[in-house]
């Protein structure tokens, strides 16, 4: 009975890992698609309201870095979804910048600063992949990807002070946060139990914690200033 129980547990874990490794690239695409309703709302209202640019600018640079990392390592399940993310991120940033006052400095930072940093990171990543050896380039780009991934997953918290002050989580994009929660969950399981890759599991575990905290803020304060708070 003990042996049968152990075999059953091994099969269950194997099934979980297989499911997560299959779902992870799909969930990554879902994350990249999640901001679409928010961007469409901005286009419709022709106003960015109090939404930050950071989630979209960080999506561009993060996707490009992981696209490069996946391409160098020949891992299609990494570069393919990030190619989609890069294209969508560029679209989101374009639409956001169309309706954003150029004088805004709470995005956080200004629009021109976001554009400048994005260009620098993309150029730096491309340069690394050309001038360094394979091992050195993938190591540096991987660590850069970890840093940017954390930035991407925690970027909605850039408005944390405003959420607490207004007692409203309207500035936290709900679709993006939910998608991030499941994406980080699948990639955490895959990174730990299948790839044993620090560059994969570490940022996603932190992203999972961040998404959970953001969902708790939404439950506590709601997404409208006049909405009823939910107990947590």
């Amino acid at each position: 009975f003990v042996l049968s129980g152990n075999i059953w547990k091994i099969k269950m874990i194997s099934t979980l890992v297989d499911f997560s490794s299959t779902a992870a690239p799909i969930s990554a695409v879902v994350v990249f698609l999640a901001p679409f309703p928010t961007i469409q709302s901005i286009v419709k209202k022709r106003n960015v309201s109090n939404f930050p640019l950071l989630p979209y600018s960080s999506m561009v640079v993060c996707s490009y870095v992981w696209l490069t990392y996946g391409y160098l390592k020949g891992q299609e399940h990494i570069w393919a979804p990030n190619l989609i993310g890069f294209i969508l991120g560029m679209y989101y940033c374009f639409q956001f910048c169309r309706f954003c006052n150029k004088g805004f400095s709470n995005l956080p930072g200004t629009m021109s600063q976001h554009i400048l940093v994005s260009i620098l990171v993309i150029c730096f990543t491309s340069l690394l992949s050309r001038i360094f050896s394979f091992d050195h380039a993938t190591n540096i780009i991987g660590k850069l990807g970890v840093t940017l991934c954390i930035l991407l997953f925690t970027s909605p918290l850039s408005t944390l002070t405003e959420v607490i002050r207004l007692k409203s989580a309207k500035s936290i994009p709900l679709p993006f946060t939910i998608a991030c929660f499941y994406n980080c969950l699948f990639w955490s399981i895959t990174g730990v139990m299948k790839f044993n890759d620090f560059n994969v599991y570490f940022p996603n575990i932190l992203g999972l914690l961040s998404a959970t905290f953001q969902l708790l803020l939404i439950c506590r304060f709601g997404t409208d200033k006049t909405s009823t708070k939910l107990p947590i």
Side-chain angles (χ1 to χ4, degrees), residues 61-182:
V61 294
C62 188
S63 296
Y64 185 82
V65 169
W66 284 108
L67 165 63
T68 306
Y69 180 81
Y71 178 77
L72 289 175
K73 300 201 74 172
Q75 296 179 344
E76 184 179 5
H77 64 283
I78 292 179
W79 69 256
N82 280 286
L83 174 60
I84 296 173
F86 178 72
I87 295 171
L88 287 173
M90 292 289 289
Y91 169 76
Y92 298 150
C93 286
F94 172 74
Q95 294 293 8
F96 189 101
C97 292
R98 282 180 62 199
F99 304 108
C100 180
N101 189 316
K102 290 181 173 59
F104 281 2
S105 59
N106 60 340
L107 303 175
T110 64
M111 189 191 309
S112 58
Q113 288 172 338
H114 280 258
I115 294 173
L116 176 62
V117 171
S118 298
I119 292 174
L120 287 176
V121 172
I122 290 174
C123 291
F124 178 68
T125 303
S126 300
L127 188 63
L128 284 175
S129 65
R130 294 291 183 181
I131 65 176
F132 285 106
S133 64
F134 171 79
D135 290 338
H136 200 184
T138 53
N139 181 53
I140 297 176
I141 293 174
K143 295 302 181 289
L144 177 60
V146 168
T147 303
L148 294 174
C149 222
I150 294 171
L151 178 64
L152 174 65
F153 293 140
T154 60
S155 56
L157 291 178
S158 61
T159 56
L160 179 59
T161 303
E162 185 176 358
V163 169
I164 296 174
R165 180 175 63 85
L166 298 178
K167 299 188 184 303
S168 170
K170 185 179 180 180
S171 58
I172 299 179
L174 180 59
F176 181 77
T177 305
I178 293 175
C180 277
F181 177 86
Y182 286 105

Side-chain angles (χ1 to χ4, degrees), residues 49-63:
S49 185
N50 58 348
F51 286 112
L53 175 59
L54 187 57
Y56 315 119
S57 59
S58 60
M59 180 185 293
V60 171
V61 294
C62 188
S63 296

Side-chain angles (χ1 to χ4, degrees), residues 11 46 97 102 118 161 167 169 179 218-219 224 229:
K11 287 184 178 180
R46 305 182 70 84
C97 292
K102 290 181 173 59
S118 298
T161 303
K167 299 188 184 303
I218 292 173
C219 290
D224 188 89
K229 300 174 187 177

Side-chain angles (χ1 to χ4, degrees), residues 178-189:
I178 293 175
C180 277
F181 177 86
Y182 286 105
N183 179 63
C184 291
L185 176 63
F186 293 138
W187 279 110
S188 295
I189 294 173

